[in-house]
Amino acid sequence: MPNVNECNEETFNLQCYNKEMPHFTTASSCQTFKNNSEIFTCSITDLRNVSVNGDQKNCTYFTKLTNLDVNVNKNTLRNVEDMCHYKVNFKNYSETTSCVAKDCASLEMKCVNNNFSSCNTNVGLWMIIYGILISILNLSHTATYRLFDVAVVDLTTEHNNDFGRQRVWSILGSFCGPPLAGYILHKFAFNGNQKNYSLAFVCSIIFTILSVASIWPVDAPSNRPAKKMWKKSLEFVRKLEVFLFIVLLLVAGSSFGFQAVYVSWYLQEIGASDLVIGVSRGINGLYGLPFLYSSKWWISRVGERKIFVLALLGHAIFCFSFSLMLEPWFSVVIEATSILNYHLFWVAVMQYVTKIAPDGLQATLKVMAGSLHFNIGRLISTMVGGYIMSIFGGRMAFTVKVAVLPGKEVKDLMLLFLE
């Protein structure tokens, strides 16, 4: 697909320096201009707001002079990534340079990139196409995750294994993927002055094919749907325990989705560096590894229901801590709550569904649990949380989340699950 860069003019300003030969220079991104004087036009502006005396009258045309005949030298700055030094020289050195020599300190050159060869005039159409493709990708991604949960839980139950230990490999994979993609983009994904993501996508396709090849021989147990499935499902959902379990998934999912979407923005708002944000968002997987590996022991000792209560408390502690946090580095410690509100919680959810779901509804309820938590709950939090953040800021948004978590329904849920 083509690049969807809009056809906007790029502008940068150069300052005048009178050393040996007067010239205009600046430092800017290496992607701003190419070494081709035909793609931009330049004009000179006199920054002074004073009357012109006799010595300066021959240079007054500078204030209206455009389309200068110039050439550009472009050199990469040492030890500064993606920054270049631009030097603009006049091709006609006679009267032009003499005027620059007199008034150099007060002159500024403005150059505009008029080259639209690397942009796309049909941006709207291609954005719609991209949007459709991204929607299909997200749909397939969500369906794949939910079906993987069903297959893995069924296999671990059949072989008397631990679902948490299987998730360890998922977390390890998430550690390997982003750094590898970043390395590929950093080393090999440059096409001229623009990044080319094709190689990263090719690697993703290769890894997907390898994954398919590795799981193809696996004989996963089949789940036959129940007779009169809709009637049986409605009767099952009417139970108070199941209804409150659905509320639990929505509440926990809304908090999880809010954290996944807005935590990085909030950290930027309070001055966190990219390093802090990266470490904060990545450390939760590291926190969860030992607990996932021993999740069977933890859940057998504590119980699924009490894990649910602890997960809600973990969400409350997370949001409350973020609402008071002043130093971004504390987020690295606060992320330890993910042990309860994500890692152990989701293992407990899958095991709980396996226990309470009747025959014929096992797969359906596992998919429903994932959809409620990761999709519908996230949608709710994205809409409501985004509105609160845009109006009142991130600190108030996290405070509101703390206020919602101890609501009446959640208290009833805790009391029921603690019985």
Side-chain angles (χ1 to χ4, degrees), residues 9-180:
E9 292 183 343
E10 293 181 340
T11 304
F12 72 156
N13 297 322
L14 303 100
Q15 303 301 318
C16 183
Y17 293 92
N18 189 12
K19 293 182 179 179
E20 297 180 358
M21 182 65 67
H23 62 274
F24 289 85
T25 183
T26 191
S28 184
S29 170
C30 293
Q31 301 182 22
T32 304
F33 290 107
K34 298 179 181 178
N35 288 324
N36 183 357
S37 61
E38 296 178 357
I39 67 172
F40 61 86
T41 57
C42 297
S43 61
I44 294 179
T45 302
D46 194 335
L47 300 178
R48 297 172 304 176
N49 187 19
V50 296
S51 59
V52 179
N53 57 36
D55 295 334
Q56 298 170 330
K57 63 181 180 180
N58 293 329
C59 298
T60 56
Y61 70 92
F62 263 136
T63 59
K64 298 180 180 179
L65 191 58
T66 59
N67 298 324
L68 297 172
D69 191 12
V70 298
N71 57 25
V72 177
N73 293 326
K74 174 182 175 182
N75 297 300
T76 304
L77 292 177
R78 294 181 180 179
N79 302 323
V80 182
E81 186 177 358
D82 196 34
M83 289 293 291
C84 287
H85 178 265
Y86 293 90
K87 180 181 178 182
V88 179
N89 298 311
F90 298 101
K91 292 182 179 180
N92 183 1
Y93 291 105
S94 57
E95 186 178 5
T96 305
T97 53
S98 64
C99 288
V100 172
K102 290 181 180 180
D103 303 319
C104 186
S106 64
L107 298 178
E108 181 180 82
M109 177 178 285
K110 178 180 179 182
C111 292
V112 180
N113 185 358
N114 297 318
N115 180 32
F116 296 151
S117 61
S118 61
C119 66
N120 196 306
T121 56
N122 297 320
V123 174
L125 173 62
W126 285 110
M127 290 301 291
I128 292 174
I129 294 175
Y130 280 145
I132 294 173
L133 292 177
I134 290 297
S135 299
I136 295 173
L137 174 64
N138 288 335
L139 179 63
S140 60
H141 182 269
T142 301
T144 301
Y145 260 76
R146 303 289 77 79
L147 293 176
F148 258 105
D149 275 343
V150 173
V152 173
V153 171
D154 288 346
L155 286 170
T156 53
T157 302
E158 180 180 345
H159 296 281
N160 193 26
N161 209 314
D162 187 357
F163 176 63
R165 291 190 178 184
Q166 305 307 314
R167 285 188 60 81
V168 167
W169 297 104
S170 174
I171 300 298
L172 290 175
S174 68
F175 284 157
C176 299
L180 179 60

Side-chain angles (χ1 to χ4, degrees), residues 299 302-309 347-349 351-352 355:
I299 294 175
V302 180
E304 290 93 349
R305 293 183 173 189
K306 292 181 180 178
I307 291 290
F308 297 158
V309 175
V347 176
V349 166
Q351 292 189 10
Y352 189 70
K355 288 182 178 180

